Amino acid sequence: MNAYRKHGCLILLAMGLVLLSSQAVAASADLPAITVISDGKGQTYSLNIQIVIFMTLLTLLPAGLMMMTAFTRIIIVLSILRQAIGLAQTPSSQTLVGLALFLTFFIMAPVFDQLNQTALQPYMQDKISLEQAIEKAKLPLRTFMLGQTREADLQMFSKIAGQTQLQKAEDVTFTILVPAFVTSELKTAFQIGFLLFIPFLVIDLVVSSVLMSMGMMMLSPMIISLPFKIMLFVLVDGWNIVMGTLASSFYV
């Protein structure tokens, strides 16, 4: 809970900075903020243009962060689990997303803490510049993503990008690492989902065979097998096993 409270405070702090920056725009709408130099010619953008650009990028931030964290693997496994049990809308999609989000916070807590200590706090205390903070923030994310990325996927995207001379982790750019990481996460999620499907598939086959032998062909096997699958999942403490397996799979 302390980690969740800390992350919540960081989110509130970021929102406060956004509000303060919007007030600064109202106070000085024509204050020059960004100067872009191209071919020896400078072009200055005012602060309100900077805020517009920032808010536009902010809309793409959730999707980017989800693709660079544990969220992808977790939500896919939970969706496959719901399909394997045979429950189309239970738990609801909102419940699965919320569960995946908070489990992501739990798994990524060491990465977020390191990012906060090495990049965010020094930047907020004016000890480092924004460019230095971004470079320091890349290190814990790169370390986490490289630890979950298959070498074959990394080599494939490196070959496509024409960067085959990668000698160390620092040589891997995020344009190569992110798609390789997402591909590896999809493979891992489907492997875990396959293992989850097997016991429920066995129950479906047994129930279907029993109904066929009894001549009850008009009765759907899903109706009979569903309570047995739910009972099996509850008896083996399935949620504990699934959550524990997902959490431990990132730090094995």
Side-chain angles (χ1 to χ4, degrees):
M1 293 302 295
N2 292 332
Y4 296 153
R5 191 179 297 112
K6 181 185 297 183
H7 298 323
C9 292
L10 292 177
I11 295 174
L12 291 176
L13 179 60
M15 293 175 63
L17 290 176
V18 172
L19 292 177
L20 289 177
S21 61
S22 63
Q23 292 178 359
V25 171
S28 57
D30 296 329
L31 181 64
I34 302 178
T35 300
V36 179
I37 299 177
S38 178
D39 297 331
K41 298 180 180 180
Q43 184 176 3
T44 301
Y45 293 92
S46 60
L47 186 58
N48 53 358
I49 300 298
Q50 180 184 7
I51 296 300
V52 170
I53 296 174
F54 173 74
M55 296 303 295
T56 302
L57 295 177
L58 193 61
T59 60
L60 303 176
L61 185 61
L65 290 179
M66 288 178 184
M67 293 294 102
M68 298 168 62
T69 61
F71 183 84
T72 302
R73 181 189 304 185
I74 297 172
I75 191 62
I76 291 177
V77 170
L78 294 180
S79 299
I80 293 177
L81 174 63
R82 183 176 64 178
Q83 186 70 24
I85 296 177
L87 299 172
Q89 298 180 352
T90 304
S92 64
S93 298
Q94 293 85 350
T95 302
L96 292 184
V97 171
L99 184 60
L101 189 60
F102 278 96
L103 188 58
T104 300
F105 286 155
F106 173 77
I107 295 172
M108 299 294 296
V111 179
F112 289 157
D113 290 339
Q114 185 179 358
L115 189 149
N116 180 49
Q117 294 174 4
T118 60
L120 182 59
Q121 291 302 324
Y123 173 71
M124 297 297 294
Q125 298 172 6
D126 294 330
K127 294 182 179 179
I128 59 177
S129 63
L130 178 60
E131 291 77 10
Q132 292 174 334
I134 293 175
E135 291 300 322
K136 290 181 178 294
K138 288 181 179 180
L139 182 59
L141 280 176
R142 178 184 281 112
T143 302
F144 170 79
M145 295 169 66
L146 282 175
Q148 307 301 323
T149 304
R150 290 178 171 83
E151 185 177 354
D153 297 327
L154 197 61
Q155 291 178 352
M156 179 186 68
F157 284 99
S158 300
K159 183 178 180 180
I160 294 174
Q163 301 180 13
T164 57
Q165 304 297 326
L166 299 178
Q167 302 295 332
K168 52 185 179 179
E170 290 75 10
D171 297 335
V172 181
T173 61
F174 270 81
T175 56
I176 296 176
L177 180 57
V178 172
F181 171 75
V182 173
T183 304
S184 296
E185 287 295 281
L186 290 174
K187 290 181 180 179
T188 304
F190 275 85
Q191 288 175 352
I192 298 176
F194 171 76
L195 296 178
L196 287 175
F197 241 105
I198 292 178
F200 300 110
L201 181 60
V202 171
I203 294 178
D204 286 333
L205 291 175
V206 171
V207 171
S208 179
S209 299
V210 172
L211 293 178
M212 290 286 290
S213 63
M214 296 175 62
M216 304 175 64
M217 301 183 181
M218 299 301 295
L219 182 62
S220 174
M222 292 294 298
I223 299 177
I224 306 299
S225 63
L226 180 58
F228 288 100
K229 290 190 286 187
I230 294 177
M231 181 181 65
L232 173 65
F233 192 70
V234 172
L235 289 178
V236 300
D237 200 4
W239 287 113
N240 188 10
I241 295 175
V242 172
M243 297 302 168
T245 302
L246 282 173
S248 61
S249 65
F250 288 93
Y251 296 101
V252 175

